[in-house]
Amino acid sequence: MNYYIKADQFLLENEENTADYLCVENGRFGTFVETVPPDAKVMDWSGFTIAPGLFDTHIHGLKGSDVMDGDPDGIQAMSEVLLSLGVTRFLPTTLTSDKEALDRALISVVEAVEKGLSGAQSEGIFLEGPYFTEKHKGAQNPDYFRDPSRQEFDHWQELAGNMIVKIALAPERAGSEEFIRYVSSTGVLASIAHTDASHDCCILAVDAGARNYVHLFNGMSGLHHREPGVAGAALTDKRAFAELICDGYHVHPDIAKLALHVKDDKLVLITDCMQAGLMPDGDYHLGEFPVVMQGGVARTETGSLAGSTLKLIDGVKNLHVWSDKSLAEVWHRGSLSPAVSLGRDADLGSIKAGKLADYVVLNKDLEVQTTAVAGEIKYEKEG
C-alpha cells in the first residue's frame, strides 16, 4: 500500500521536519513532498510526532515469555507485545545454559520466524554466553561457563540457520582472540560481557574484531584511574559500540549522561528485559534462576540485578530527560545505533528514503499511538 504521512514533526537523523508530507512506497520510506495528488491516500497524524521504529538488540523476555523457554509461541507473543512499546525490530536473546536448553531456544526462534512473526520482526539471535567468567557473572549460571569453541558455535549457527548475528564473551578466556576473529569474519557482532578483563585485554579483543560492549558498567570490571578496566576500554575506544540500560537502577542518570556524551552515536540503548517485563511484582525466572521483582526491579536470590523490566521507549525518555540532547538524537540511540552496530542501517533505524518504513506515531507525552512495520500498520492504541 502506498500512501503519504502528515504529522506535526518527523524525527530525522539530523533534523526535524515539520511541514511536508512523507511518502511511503512499497513498504519503504520515500521522499518528503510539499503537496500530494488529489486522489492520494493520506495518513493524517496532525498533532503527533513520527519517529523511527525502535530496535532492541538485547531482550530475553517480556510479559511472561522467555526465549529460554524454547517455545515458538513465546517468541510470537513477544513480537506482538513489542509493537505497543514502539519496537519494530529485536534480537531474541539467550542466556548461559546447558547445550540442550540452548539448542531448544535456538530452534524455537527459528520456528517462530519461519512461521512468520505478526508483530516486531526478529533481525537475528543474540547468543549471550556461555563463554564468560565468574567474577561479574550477574544472572548467568557459572556452572556452564567455558572457553569459546568454534566447533560449538558452528553447531549453534547451523541449528539457527545462520540467524545468530551477535555473541557475547569474556575476552580473558583462552582462545578468545582467535574465536573473535572467526565469528567476526562471518559477519557476527562479537561483544564483550560478564568479564573481569583488563583494559589491555579488551583492546586486544577489539583489535581482533570485537565491536560491542554489553550493558555498559554492568557485568564488567569498573573504571579506575590506573586500570581503566572493561568500562574504561568501552568508553575510550571509538571503534566499539556500548550498550546502556537506562532504567535508573543499572546505571546512575549522571553516568548515563556521561556515556552518551562520550560514546555519542556509538551508544546503543537496550532493555535486557526478562519475562517480568509488563508483569506485576512477584516471583519469576530468568533462565534457570528464580527471580523476585519488587517495585519493578528484578533480582536473583543473592541480590544481583536480573536483567530488567525496562521498556525501551522509557529508556529513551529517561536519557532525554537526564541529558541535554534533543529527543531526535536520543531516540536514534535506540533505533539507528543498534542498526548500525549490526550492519543493518541501509534498511533500518531512521526515516530516510529507501529504508523500510518502520515508524511509530507518538502523542505529546511520547506515548505510542500507532506502530508500522515495513509500511504496514500493525498496532493502533485503543481509544
Side-chain angles (χ1 to χ4, degrees), residues 13 52-57 166 189 211-212 240-244 260 263-270 319 328-345 348-350 355:
E13 290 184 30
L54 295 170
F55 188 171
D56 196 344
T57 61
K166 178 179 171 185
L189 177 62
R211 288 294 183 270
N212 183 56
F241 292 85
E243 302 175 358
L244 198 66
L260 176 60
K263 294 303 293 183
D264 194 22
D265 59 359
K266 288 291 182 70
L267 189 72
V268 176
L269 298 184
I270 60 156
L319 190 56
E329 184 172 352
V330 176
W331 188 279
H332 283 91
R333 304 293 71 80
S335 63
L336 183 57
S337 291
V340 175
S341 74
L342 293 166
R344 295 288 288 123
D345 53 303
L348 302 171
S350 61
K355 291 193 177 189

Side-chain angles (χ1 to χ4, degrees), residues 23-37:
C23 181
V24 174
E25 300 176 294
N26 300 318
R28 293 183 179 268
F29 292 121
T31 57
F32 282 95
V33 296
E34 294 182 0
T35 59
V36 300

Side-chain angles (χ1 to χ4, degrees), residues 143-163:
D143 290 346
Y144 305 116
F145 288 170
R146 50 194 180 270
D147 293 334
S149 163
R150 173 174 170 173
Q151 181 179 8
E152 188 171 50
F153 173 78
D154 285 345
H155 161 76
W156 281 324
Q157 189 66 292
E158 181 178 2
L159 204 62
N162 292 315
M163 285 176 56

Side-chain angles (χ1 to χ4, degrees), residues 172-247:
E172 68 268 39
R173 295 214 70 111
S176 289
E177 286 185 44
E178 180 182 357
F179 182 82
I180 290 169
R181 288 191 184 91
Y182 171 66
V183 297
S184 299
S185 73
T186 68
V188 173
L189 177 62
S191 304
I192 295 170
H194 295 288
T195 168
D196 194 39
S198 67
H199 169 273
D200 291 349
C201 179
C202 290
I203 297 303
L204 290 174
V206 176
D207 288 344
R211 288 294 183 270
N212 183 56
Y213 287 84
V214 175
H215 41 52
L216 181 62
F217 300 112
N218 292 275
M220 61 179 62
S221 54
L223 179 65
H224 188 275
H225 57 285
R226 282 190 289 272
E227 170 44 59
V230 182
L235 287 171
T236 58
D237 195 331
K238 295 181 179 180
R239 296 173 293 175
F241 292 85
E243 302 175 358
L244 198 66
I245 307 171
C246 287
D247 59 0

